[in-house]
Amino acid sequence: MFSFASLLPALRRNTLQKAPPVVGPLNFTRDRSQLAPRQVQHIKRHKGRIPIPTGGSIKGTTLAYGEWGIRIKGNGVRLSAKQLTTAEEVIKRKIKVIKGTKVYLRVFPDIPVCIKGNETRMGKGKGTFEYWATRVPKGRVIFEIGGTPIREELARDALRQAADKLPTTMEFINRSTPPRLGNLVLHPPKPPRQEVLPPPDQDTPPSTGV
């Protein structure tokens, strides 16, 4: 006869055995602090080109949320998620001394960039996914600072340090800065000048002929 106590070690070994791993499709995880889209239909996409506002659109060239900001003054570039995250951390570290300040990111990296290894023969499909990026044209606002009133000197210094982390020339703007269309800064038209004639003097009596 076998006792129940003698069968316990065998039962424990069977229950503690690990289940075989389930091999499924490749999933791309997204951390909470990572700049990446939540879901995409196609993980690989064409390289594309930097958009050029040839139609005269000035959308995204002025501030919308904050009081101070930076926008692209040089040529349009493709910014990666790591570059945007690094610049945002620089701004937050600089303005964290003021309670209630917020940093607004006006662009989002939603374009997958695929890279093939060096000295690789042609063919055999597109390269593997490497990082997320976004195409930004000239004149587009990248970062804004707002939330609470902040001095211009502190905002200018924080945005200057963030601009040093980006691979293009940036310019500092505020609420009164006019929009930009490529190399042109569109200042509002001045009102037409009107000549104001002096009113006639009513105190002097009219002259009479002798």
Side-chain angles (χ1 to χ4, degrees), residues 14-27:
N14 294 333
T15 56
L16 292 178
Q17 288 180 355
K18 294 183 179 180
V22 179
V23 180
L26 182 62
N27 296 326

Side-chain angles (χ1 to χ4, degrees), residues 45-91:
R45 201 180 303 180
H46 291 179
K47 181 178 181 180
R49 295 293 182 266
I50 305 299
I52 300 176
T54 57
S57 175
I58 57 175
K59 183 179 180 181
T61 61
T62 55
L63 298 181
Y65 306 101
E67 300 296 331
W68 316 99
I70 53 175
R71 68 183 178 188
I72 295 181
K73 185 179 180 181
N75 297 327
V77 292
R78 187 176 69 180
L79 300 176
S80 65
K82 185 176 181 180
Q83 292 172 342
L84 295 174
T85 304
T86 304
E88 187 177 9
E89 291 176 355
V90 170
I91 299 176

Side-chain angles (χ1 to χ4, degrees), residues 58 61 71-73 138-139 171 178-185:
I58 57 175
T61 61
R71 68 183 178 188
I72 295 181
K73 185 179 180 181
K138 178 183 291 189
E171 64 176 344
R180 173 182 283 272
L181 179 60
N183 293 327
L184 303 177
V185 179

Side-chain angles (χ1 to χ4, degrees), residues 18-207:
K18 294 183 179 180
V22 179
V23 180
L26 182 62
N27 296 326
F28 292 88
T29 60
R30 171 182 173 270
D31 299 333
R32 180 175 299 180
S33 60
Q34 182 182 3
L35 289 177
R38 295 184 178 179
Q39 58 182 359
V40 291
Q41 185 176 5
H42 304 289
I43 194 59
K44 295 183 180 181
R45 201 180 303 180
H46 291 179
K47 181 178 181 180
R49 295 293 182 266
I50 305 299
I52 300 176
T54 57
S57 175
I58 57 175
K59 183 179 180 181
T61 61
T62 55
L63 298 181
Y65 306 101
E67 300 296 331
W68 316 99
I70 53 175
R71 68 183 178 188
I72 295 181
K73 185 179 180 181
N75 297 327
V77 292
R78 187 176 69 180
L79 300 176
S80 65
K82 185 176 181 180
Q83 292 172 342
L84 295 174
T85 304
T86 304
E88 187 177 9
E89 291 176 355
V90 170
I91 299 176
K92 289 182 178 180
R93 191 183 309 114
K94 189 68 178 180
I95 66 174
K96 68 179 181 181
V97 294
I98 302 179
K99 187 176 181 180
T101 54
K102 296 181 180 180
V103 181
Y104 302 95
L105 179 61
R106 294 287 302 274
V107 296
F108 189 81
D110 58 347
I111 300 173
V113 178
C114 301
I115 296 178
K116 299 186 72 172
N118 296 331
E119 300 180 1
T120 305
R121 293 179 179 269
M122 297 195 318
K124 298 184 179 180
K126 193 174 177 67
T128 57
F129 170 81
E130 189 71 18
Y131 59 89
W132 297 98
T134 179
R135 307 185 192 102
V136 188
K138 178 183 291 189
R140 186 68 184 271
V141 178
I142 305 299
F143 287 104
E144 296 185 19
I145 297 178
T148 56
I150 181 173
R151 293 184 293 108
E152 180 180 357
E153 294 79 8
L154 181 59
R156 188 181 290 272
D157 189 20
L159 294 173
R160 178 190 58 80
Q161 295 183 14
D164 294 339
K165 305 295 182 180
L166 301 177
T168 184
T169 306
M170 314 294 290
E171 64 176 344
F172 182 80
I173 60 175
N174 53 21
R175 281 285 182 177
S176 60
T177 304
R180 173 182 283 272
L181 179 60
N183 293 327
L184 303 177
V185 179
L186 305 179
H187 295 279
K190 296 182 180 180
R193 184 177 180 181
Q194 299 179 356
E195 295 182 0
V196 180
L197 298 176
D201 194 359
Q202 303 292 339
D203 297 337
T204 58
S207 59

